[in-house]
Amino acid sequence: MVERGGENGVSAAPAMADGALPVVEVEDPRLQGISASIRVVPHFPKPGIMFNDITTVLLKPKVFKDAVDILVERYQEMGITAVAGVEARGFIFGPPVALALGAKFIPLRKPKKLPGQVISENYVLEYGTDCLEMHVGAVHQGDRVLIIDDLVATGGTLCAAIKLLERGGSEVVECACIIGLPKFKGRCKLNGKPVYILVECVL
């Protein structure tokens, strides 16, 4: 039997019936394999950056599946109707999670990548500005959306994704990332929305 993960991928041991013993949180052992499978590439894409590479997770089918399973277990009872993946690595984890949840998948892309009518949301980065786009009509009033990306550092991209989806009339339930800075490994929120990460990144 698979235990459903608690906050940040940990499972809580059941308390005694009389409530005498406190609840003890035990880290999901799958997280160790995920963390160990992430490759750190120094000075990429520029000097001083420690790049946390998730492509090495994808080379290990069991570890890749574990990451997807943990997310599915967390969200399977939350009434998620859509999963939005942020270009580009959100496209890797988003679709399998969406399929397992019986939800539609929405790609959030960089400018001029989506055909047809789109809405756009600009955001500021430390080295300039960028933009996310979504097809008009991809989400509707009443949609409950999960946003997935591979990594959260400053949160700028996720904030733009939240704004974009809310402009479409949907409710963003949570943002989920495989890797995040330590400050996100708790109850940090972006634009009022909770952020869930599996493992902390190497700085």
Side-chain angles (χ1 to χ4, degrees):
M1 183 178 74
V2 178
E3 280 191 80
R4 293 194 59 196
E7 185 67 26
N8 291 324
V10 297
S11 299
M16 297 294 288
D18 61 2
L21 295 178
V23 174
V24 178
E25 290 189 344
V26 180
E27 184 175 88
D28 189 324
R30 295 174 293 183
L31 295 176
Q32 298 174 8
I34 295 168
S35 183
S37 298
I38 295 169
R39 175 175 59 174
V40 178
V41 183
H43 308 301
F44 181 85
K46 61 182 182 179
I49 300 295
M50 298 291 283
F51 188 82
N52 287 241
D53 180 19
I54 55 90
T55 63
T56 44
V57 172
L58 309 179
L59 299 177
K60 300 179 179 180
K62 182 185 181 303
V63 178
F64 184 13
K65 184 177 185 299
D66 283 345
V68 171
D69 286 348
I70 290 171
L71 294 176
V72 171
E73 290 161 18
R74 178 173 178 82
Y75 297 107
Q76 61 188 354
E77 303 298 334
M78 293 192 187
I80 301 296
T81 61
V83 174
V86 179
E87 186 171 352
R89 287 176 289 274
F91 295 175
I92 297 171
F93 294 94
V97 172
L99 287 173
L101 295 176
K104 59 186 174 183
F105 177 74
I106 301 168
L108 304 181
R109 302 214 63 182
K110 299 297 177 66
K112 300 181 180 180
K113 296 290 185 68
L114 291 171
Q117 190 176 1
V118 300
I119 58 174
S120 304
E121 186 69 40
N122 295 310
Y123 58 101
V124 178
L125 300 170
E126 60 180 345
Y127 49 84
T129 60
D130 213 333
C131 178
L132 285 179
E133 294 186 339
M134 176 180 71
H135 273 134
V136 171
V139 292
H140 303 92
Q141 196 77 32
D143 269 332
R144 289 174 55 81
V145 185
L146 165 65
I147 301 173
I148 292 184
D149 203 356
D150 70 320
L151 183 144
V152 54
T154 65
T157 305
L158 289 179
C159 285
I162 292 168
K163 292 178 182 177
L164 194 60
L165 288 154
E166 290 182 335
R167 284 171 56 195
S170 65
E171 175 191 355
V172 174
V173 176
E174 193 164 82
C175 300
C177 295
I178 306 303
I179 314 168
L181 291 181
K183 69 177 181 179
F184 292 103
K185 191 76 169 172
R187 299 193 178 273
C188 181
K189 292 187 176 183
L190 295 173
N191 283 11
K193 302 300 179 180
V195 180
Y196 174 77
I197 66 168
L198 299 188
V199 298
E200 294 180 6
C201 69
V202 175
L203 301 176

